[in-house]
mmCIF file of all heavy atoms in Angstrom:
data_model
loop_
_atom_site.group_PDB
_atom_site.id
_atom_site.type_symbol
_atom_site.label_atom_id
_atom_site.label_comp_id
_atom_site.label_asym_id
_atom_site.label_seq_id
_atom_site.Cartn_x
_atom_site.Cartn_y
_atom_site.Cartn_z
ATOM 1 N N PHE A 11 45.572 187.999 10.617
ATOM 2 C CA PHE A 11 46.780 188.665 11.137
ATOM 3 C C PHE A 11 46.581 189.063 12.625
ATOM 4 O O PHE A 11 47.501 188.972 13.390
ATOM 5 C CB PHE A 11 47.077 189.862 10.276
ATOM 6 C CG PHE A 11 47.635 189.581 8.909
ATOM 7 C CD1 PHE A 11 46.780 189.602 7.803
ATOM 8 C CD2 PHE A 11 48.988 189.181 8.744
ATOM 9 C CE1 PHE A 11 47.278 189.249 6.546
ATOM 10 C CE2 PHE A 11 49.463 188.871 7.555
ATOM 11 C CZ PHE A 11 48.648 188.865 6.434
ATOM 12 N N THR A 12 45.367 189.380 12.986
ATOM 13 C CA THR A 12 45.094 189.760 14.352
ATOM 14 C C THR A 12 45.241 188.490 15.291
ATOM 15 O O THR A 12 45.715 188.608 16.446
ATOM 16 C CB THR A 12 43.674 190.318 14.543
ATOM 17 O OG1 THR A 12 43.580 191.524 13.674
ATOM 18 C CG2 THR A 12 43.383 190.775 15.982
ATOM 19 N N SER A 13 44.839 187.312 14.776
ATOM 20 C CA SER A 13 44.875 186.141 15.610
ATOM 21 C C SER A 13 46.273 185.754 16.003
ATOM 22 O O SER A 13 46.493 185.109 17.004
ATOM 23 C CB SER A 13 44.261 184.967 14.852
ATOM 24 O OG SER A 13 45.000 184.572 13.782
ATOM 25 N N GLN A 14 47.283 186.298 15.274
ATOM 26 C CA GLN A 14 48.676 185.954 15.558
ATOM 27 C C GLN A 14 49.384 186.984 16.383
ATOM 28 O O GLN A 14 50.564 186.778 16.764
ATOM 29 C CB GLN A 14 49.443 185.787 14.193
ATOM 30 C CG GLN A 14 48.920 184.636 13.382
ATOM 31 C CD GLN A 14 49.702 184.316 12.167
ATOM 32 O OE1 GLN A 14 50.480 183.357 12.082
ATOM 33 N NE2 GLN A 14 49.532 185.223 11.170
ATOM 34 N N VAL A 15 48.718 188.073 16.682
ATOM 35 C CA VAL A 15 49.388 189.114 17.510
ATOM 36 C C VAL A 15 49.846 188.557 18.861
ATOM 37 O O VAL A 15 51.015 188.811 19.243
ATOM 38 C CB VAL A 15 48.437 190.315 17.728
ATOM 39 C CG1 VAL A 15 48.947 191.223 18.829
ATOM 40 C CG2 VAL A 15 48.246 191.086 16.418
ATOM 41 N N PRO A 16 49.063 187.722 19.615
ATOM 42 C CA PRO A 16 49.597 187.264 20.879
ATOM 43 C C PRO A 16 50.793 186.400 20.818
ATOM 44 O O PRO A 16 51.549 186.279 21.810
ATOM 45 C CB PRO A 16 48.394 186.469 21.455
ATOM 46 C CG PRO A 16 47.179 187.041 20.762
ATOM 47 C CD PRO A 16 47.702 187.359 19.378
ATOM 48 N N ASP A 17 51.054 185.710 19.681
ATOM 49 C CA ASP A 17 52.194 184.871 19.491
ATOM 50 C C ASP A 17 53.345 185.471 18.754
ATOM 51 O O ASP A 17 54.270 184.820 18.407
ATOM 52 C CB ASP A 17 51.715 183.632 18.715
ATOM 53 C CG ASP A 17 50.576 182.871 19.447
ATOM 54 O OD1 ASP A 17 50.611 182.786 20.663
ATOM 55 O OD2 ASP A 17 49.648 182.460 18.717
ATOM 56 N N SER A 18 53.271 186.765 18.503
ATOM 57 C CA SER A 18 54.264 187.393 17.720
ATOM 58 C C SER A 18 55.503 187.846 18.519
ATOM 59 O O SER A 18 55.438 188.045 19.731
ATOM 60 C CB SER A 18 53.740 188.659 17.033
ATOM 61 O OG SER A 18 53.257 189.596 18.026
ATOM 62 N N ARG A 19 56.639 187.860 17.844
ATOM 63 C CA ARG A 19 57.911 188.276 18.467
ATOM 64 C C ARG A 19 58.519 189.323 17.569
ATOM 65 O O ARG A 19 58.569 189.225 16.364
ATOM 66 C CB ARG A 19 58.888 187.077 18.619
ATOM 67 C CG ARG A 19 58.433 185.936 19.521
ATOM 68 C CD ARG A 19 59.301 184.846 19.436
ATOM 69 N NE ARG A 19 60.732 185.156 19.822
ATOM 70 C CZ ARG A 19 61.741 184.302 19.890
ATOM 71 N NH1 ARG A 19 61.546 183.019 19.635
ATOM 72 N NH2 ARG A 19 62.949 184.715 20.215
ATOM 73 N N LEU A 20 59.153 190.317 18.213
ATOM 74 C CA LEU A 20 59.910 191.296 17.455
ATOM 75 C C LEU A 20 61.232 190.722 17.068
ATOM 76 O O LEU A 20 61.774 189.871 17.780
ATOM 77 C CB LEU A 20 60.054 192.624 18.271
ATOM 78 C CG LEU A 20 58.766 193.386 18.641
ATOM 79 C CD1 LEU A 20 59.112 194.638 19.429
ATOM 80 C CD2 LEU A 20 58.033 193.832 17.321
ATOM 81 N N TYR A 21 61.862 191.323 15.984
ATOM 82 C CA TYR A 21 63.148 190.804 15.568
ATOM 83 C C TYR A 21 64.279 191.651 16.218
ATOM 84 O O TYR A 21 64.253 192.825 16.137
ATOM 85 C CB TYR A 21 63.182 191.021 14.027
ATOM 86 C CG TYR A 21 64.520 190.694 13.338
ATOM 87 C CD1 TYR A 21 65.157 189.502 13.598
ATOM 88 C CD2 TYR A 21 65.037 191.633 12.462
ATOM 89 C CE1 TYR A 21 66.371 189.253 13.018
ATOM 90 C CE2 TYR A 21 66.233 191.386 11.781
ATOM 91 C CZ TYR A 21 66.894 190.190 12.085
ATOM 92 O OH TYR A 21 68.060 189.891 11.454
ATOM 93 N N LEU A 22 65.071 190.932 16.984
ATOM 94 C CA LEU A 22 66.258 191.583 17.675
ATOM 95 C C LEU A 22 65.788 192.718 18.558
ATOM 96 O O LEU A 22 66.303 193.850 18.495
ATOM 97 C CB LEU A 22 67.295 192.064 16.693
ATOM 98 C CG LEU A 22 67.871 190.965 15.789
ATOM 99 C CD1 LEU A 22 68.814 191.639 14.672
ATOM 100 C CD2 LEU A 22 68.658 190.009 16.588
ATOM 101 N N PRO A 23 64.793 192.610 19.429
ATOM 102 C CA PRO A 23 64.355 193.716 20.240
ATOM 103 C C PRO A 23 65.376 194.122 21.242
ATOM 104 O O PRO A 23 65.921 193.355 21.952
ATOM 105 C CB PRO A 23 63.060 193.037 20.891
ATOM 106 C CG PRO A 23 63.427 191.609 20.932
ATOM 107 C CD PRO A 23 64.100 191.307 19.703
ATOM 108 N N HIS A 24 65.588 195.434 21.293
ATOM 109 C CA HIS A 24 66.456 196.076 22.217
ATOM 110 C C HIS A 24 67.904 195.455 22.172
ATOM 111 O O HIS A 24 68.654 195.545 23.171
ATOM 112 C CB HIS A 24 65.891 195.980 23.624
ATOM 113 C CG HIS A 24 65.456 197.325 24.180
ATOM 114 N ND1 HIS A 24 66.314 198.224 24.660
ATOM 115 C CD2 HIS A 24 64.260 197.864 24.300
ATOM 116 C CE1 HIS A 24 65.628 199.297 25.098
ATOM 117 N NE2 HIS A 24 64.369 199.098 24.808
ATOM 118 N N VAL A 25 68.221 194.878 21.109
ATOM 119 C CA VAL A 25 69.646 194.365 20.912
ATOM 120 C C VAL A 25 70.503 195.541 20.528
ATOM 121 O O VAL A 25 70.232 196.233 19.572
ATOM 122 C CB VAL A 25 69.673 193.238 19.910
ATOM 123 C CG1 VAL A 25 71.121 192.845 19.504
ATOM 124 C CG2 VAL A 25 68.903 192.014 20.431
ATOM 125 N N THR A 26 71.637 195.709 21.187
ATOM 126 C CA THR A 26 72.573 196.769 20.861
ATOM 127 C C THR A 26 73.009 196.651 19.408
ATOM 128 O O THR A 26 73.401 195.527 18.951
ATOM 129 C CB THR A 26 73.782 196.749 21.751
ATOM 130 O OG1 THR A 26 73.379 196.884 23.150
ATOM 131 C CG2 THR A 26 74.750 197.810 21.486
ATOM 132 N N ASN A 27 72.954 197.722 18.682
ATOM 133 C CA ASN A 27 73.376 197.811 17.218
ATOM 134 C C ASN A 27 72.590 196.794 16.482
ATOM 135 O O ASN A 27 73.143 196.093 15.565
ATOM 136 C CB ASN A 27 74.838 197.542 17.123
ATOM 137 C CG ASN A 27 75.679 198.705 17.749
ATOM 138 O OD1 ASN A 27 75.391 199.856 17.586
ATOM 139 N ND2 ASN A 27 76.755 198.341 18.376
ATOM 140 N N ALA A 28 71.345 196.639 16.693
ATOM 141 C CA ALA A 28 70.471 195.618 16.017
ATOM 142 C C ALA A 28 70.503 195.761 14.501
ATOM 143 O O ALA A 28 70.543 194.779 13.781
ATOM 144 C CB ALA A 28 69.075 195.684 16.572
ATOM 145 N N THR A 29 70.472 197.006 14.019
ATOM 146 C CA THR A 29 70.446 197.188 12.600
ATOM 147 C C THR A 29 71.718 196.666 11.921
ATOM 148 O O THR A 29 71.725 196.074 10.884
ATOM 149 C CB THR A 29 70.254 198.707 12.263
ATOM 150 O OG1 THR A 29 69.115 199.193 12.895
ATOM 151 C CG2 THR A 29 70.207 198.953 10.758
ATOM 152 N N GLN A 30 72.830 196.935 12.622
ATOM 153 C CA GLN A 30 74.161 196.424 12.104
ATOM 154 C C GLN A 30 74.193 194.848 12.278
ATOM 155 O O GLN A 30 74.869 194.231 11.436
ATOM 156 C CB GLN A 30 75.307 197.089 12.851
ATOM 157 C CG GLN A 30 75.529 198.518 12.522
ATOM 158 C CD GLN A 30 74.479 199.471 13.140
ATOM 159 O OE1 GLN A 30 73.891 199.157 14.200
ATOM 160 N NE2 GLN A 30 74.266 200.614 12.591
ATOM 161 N N VAL A 31 73.628 194.341 13.353
ATOM 162 C CA VAL A 31 73.586 192.934 13.410
ATOM 163 C C VAL A 31 72.896 192.236 12.313
ATOM 164 O O VAL A 31 73.324 191.223 11.758
ATOM 165 C CB VAL A 31 72.924 192.452 14.829
ATOM 166 C CG1 VAL A 31 72.641 190.983 14.851
ATOM 167 C CG2 VAL A 31 73.778 192.869 15.999
ATOM 168 N N ASP A 32 71.761 192.890 11.895
ATOM 169 C CA ASP A 32 71.005 192.344 10.763
ATOM 170 C C ASP A 32 71.876 192.446 9.489
ATOM 171 O O ASP A 32 71.999 191.462 8.769
ATOM 172 C CB ASP A 32 69.725 193.108 10.632
ATOM 173 C CG ASP A 32 68.928 192.710 9.363
ATOM 174 O OD1 ASP A 32 68.375 191.642 9.343
ATOM 175 O OD2 ASP A 32 68.869 193.511 8.432
ATOM 176 N N ALA A 33 72.356 193.602 9.259
ATOM 177 C CA ALA A 33 73.068 193.915 7.922
ATOM 178 C C ALA A 33 74.380 193.212 7.827
ATOM 179 O O ALA A 33 74.753 192.728 6.721
ATOM 180 C CB ALA A 33 73.148 195.389 7.724
ATOM 181 N N ASN A 34 75.139 193.221 8.894
ATOM 182 C CA ASN A 34 76.568 192.750 8.874
ATOM 183 C C ASN A 34 76.727 191.314 9.226
ATOM 184 O O ASN A 34 77.829 190.740 9.007
ATOM 185 C CB ASN A 34 77.435 193.701 9.645
ATOM 186 C CG ASN A 34 77.412 195.093 9.257
ATOM 187 O OD1 ASN A 34 77.090 195.432 8.137
ATOM 188 N ND2 ASN A 34 77.762 195.988 10.160
ATOM 189 N N ALA A 35 75.776 190.717 9.936
ATOM 190 C CA ALA A 35 75.906 189.362 10.409
ATOM 191 C C ALA A 35 74.823 188.417 9.898
ATOM 192 O O ALA A 35 75.072 187.435 9.220
ATOM 193 C CB ALA A 35 75.912 189.308 11.949
ATOM 194 N N TYR A 36 73.506 188.814 10.142
ATOM 195 C CA TYR A 36 72.515 187.806 9.832
ATOM 196 C C TYR A 36 72.277 187.778 8.337
ATOM 197 O O TYR A 36 72.111 186.649 7.806
ATOM 198 C CB TYR A 36 71.179 188.235 10.541
ATOM 199 C CG TYR A 36 70.205 187.113 10.604
ATOM 200 C CD1 TYR A 36 70.386 185.968 11.345
ATOM 201 C CD2 TYR A 36 69.024 187.119 9.861
ATOM 202 C CE1 TYR A 36 69.528 184.906 11.458
ATOM 203 C CE2 TYR A 36 68.055 186.083 9.851
ATOM 204 C CZ TYR A 36 68.350 185.022 10.626
ATOM 205 O OH TYR A 36 67.493 183.927 10.674
#
């Protein structure tokens, strides 16, 4: 799991209303 830290991406980082984007769209 540590070896993958440099290649990791957050999900919808700093996207406005990200929680709603996930729940209502994705």
Side-chain angles (χ1 to χ4, degrees):
F11 288 99
T12 300
S13 69
Q14 297 185 107
V15 169
D17 302 316
S18 62
R19 296 175 56 180
L20 296 178
Y21 175 50
L22 300 175
H24 250 279
V25 171
T26 302
N27 294 319
T29 301
Q30 288 76 24
V31 169
D32 175 71
N34 300 338
Y36 197 69

